[in-house]
Amino acid sequence: IPIPLQISQLSGVAQLDLGGNATAGHGCALAAGVVRCWGSNSSGQLGNGTNTGSFTPISVPGLNGVVEIAAGSNVACARLNDGTVRCWGQNDYGQLGNGTTTHSNVPVAVSGLTSTVEITANGRHACARLSDQTVRCWGRNHHGQLGDGTTEQRTSPAVVSGLTGAVEVSAGYYHSCARLSDSTLRCWGSNYVGQLGDGSELDRITPVAVSGLYGVAEISAGFQHSCARLSDASLRCWGDNSYGTIGNGSFTSSVAPVMVAGIADAAEIGAEDNHTCARLNDGTVR
């Protein structure tokens, strides 16, 4: 469909997130205090106790006090107002965070999280930022995307090594990034096309600084690239650029941040699978 279509049976939407992979996708929305999901359900990622897909949003039962949702590849998570997290769907790498590798088509509690203030999910891993400004990640870790100094998958949350002062976290497909209280960035995980922005193409199993980037107001990690919105409302992106993903007028990848062309008034940035979008201050989208 080449034009936007309204999602049926949804009103009062407070948050929306989409997950998926090359063969299937799903979406979830937080609307009027209720989580509703739709799309593929092969691993139970709709969270309604079945594995039957749905063309329309269906409620995820057993969730109360949801304040944030995050969708990854065949998985979804919800942060509750008590600081705990629930996830459901595929779990072959421990991406549900409940200490097992058993899929679940209903929400299960992520182990040991009680003071979570932000969640993010992508690929087959997820991360949580805690109230003490540290970060925990769990799930697949073959490129070091959990940031705990290993490449071992974790079925429960592991501490991201040496990361303090985190005020935002974003999980890419095989990498992750965090914005710190000093408005700089740290990234970790897969880096074979420079998506960590540290000037190299070497995977990093612990966080490294993104080169020459200061005054960061927002971070978004995508499939094989990352983008940041700066405090002056300009944008920087880095990593894979095979499809023009980093927006600098070329198709050449970059191991360090480059300026996105023609945008000087960005209010929000979103890096996704081989494309990027920005919301401008006038309410339009590029």
Side-chain angles (χ1 to χ4, degrees):
I1 303 298
I3 58 172
L5 297 178
Q6 183 174 348
I7 299 174
S8 64
Q9 302 177 21
L10 278 182
S11 62
V13 175
Q15 189 189 359
L16 170 72
D17 203 9
L18 305 178
N21 55 31
T23 58
H26 72 291
C28 292
L30 177 59
V34 177
V35 178
R36 292 180 170 83
C37 299
W38 61 94
S40 175
N41 197 27
S42 56
S43 300
Q45 59 264 44
L46 302 189
N48 68 330
T50 78
N51 289 76
T52 303
S54 176
F55 292 109
T56 58
I58 53 179
S59 298
V60 179
L63 291 177
N64 297 298
V66 177
V67 292
E68 186 183 15
I69 57 173
S73 181
N74 298 337
V75 67
C77 296
R79 175 171 63 92
L80 308 188
N81 56 14
D82 62 0
T84 62
V85 176
R86 304 291 188 274
C87 296
W88 56 94
Q90 192 175 52
N91 197 31
D92 47 349
Y93 296 100
Q95 54 265 51
L96 299 188
N98 67 335
T100 78
T101 54
T102 302
H103 303 335
S104 179
N105 56 23
V106 295
V108 294
V110 177
S111 301
L113 292 182
T114 59
S115 58
T116 307
V117 295
E118 183 185 12
I119 56 172
T120 178
N122 203 336
R124 288 175 170 82
H125 76 292
C127 296
R129 180 171 58 89
L130 305 190
S131 59
D132 64 0
Q133 297 188 332
T134 62
V135 173
R136 307 289 190 275
C137 297
W138 60 94
R140 196 173 189 184
N141 195 29
H142 60 314
H143 289 289
Q145 57 263 47
L146 303 188
D148 68 342
T150 78
T151 54
E152 299 176 7
Q153 71 180 43
R154 302 294 184 183
T155 61
S156 57
V159 177
V160 177
S161 300
L163 192 68
T164 59
V167 295
E168 184 184 11
V169 63
S170 180
Y173 205 80
Y174 292 140
H175 71 293
S176 308
C177 295
R179 176 169 59 95
L180 305 189
S181 56
D182 64 0
S183 299
T184 62
L185 292 182
R186 302 293 186 274
C187 296
W188 58 95
S190 176
N191 196 31
Y192 75 99
V193 282
Q195 58 263 52
L196 302 188
D198 68 339
S200 80
E201 293 180 342
L202 300 174
D203 289 0
R204 306 292 187 178
I205 60 176
T206 57
V208 293
V210 177
S211 301
L213 203 58
Y214 306 96
V216 179
E218 183 186 9
I219 175 64
S220 184
F223 179 48
Q224 295 172 344
H225 75 296
S226 306
C227 293
R229 177 173 58 89
L230 304 191
S231 56
D232 65 1
S234 65
L235 301 176
R236 304 292 188 278
C237 294
W238 57 97
D240 181 58
N241 198 30
S242 302
Y243 301 95
T245 324
I246 63 177
N248 68 334
S250 79
F251 293 99
T252 303
S253 300
S254 178
V255 297
V258 297
M259 181 177 287
V260 175
I263 293 182
D265 57 345
E268 185 179 6
I269 181 69
E272 298 295 340
D273 187 354
N274 295 329
H275 70 288
T276 309
C277 293
R279 177 173 61 89
L280 305 190
N281 286 319
D282 64 3
T284 62
V285 175
R286 302 292 187 274

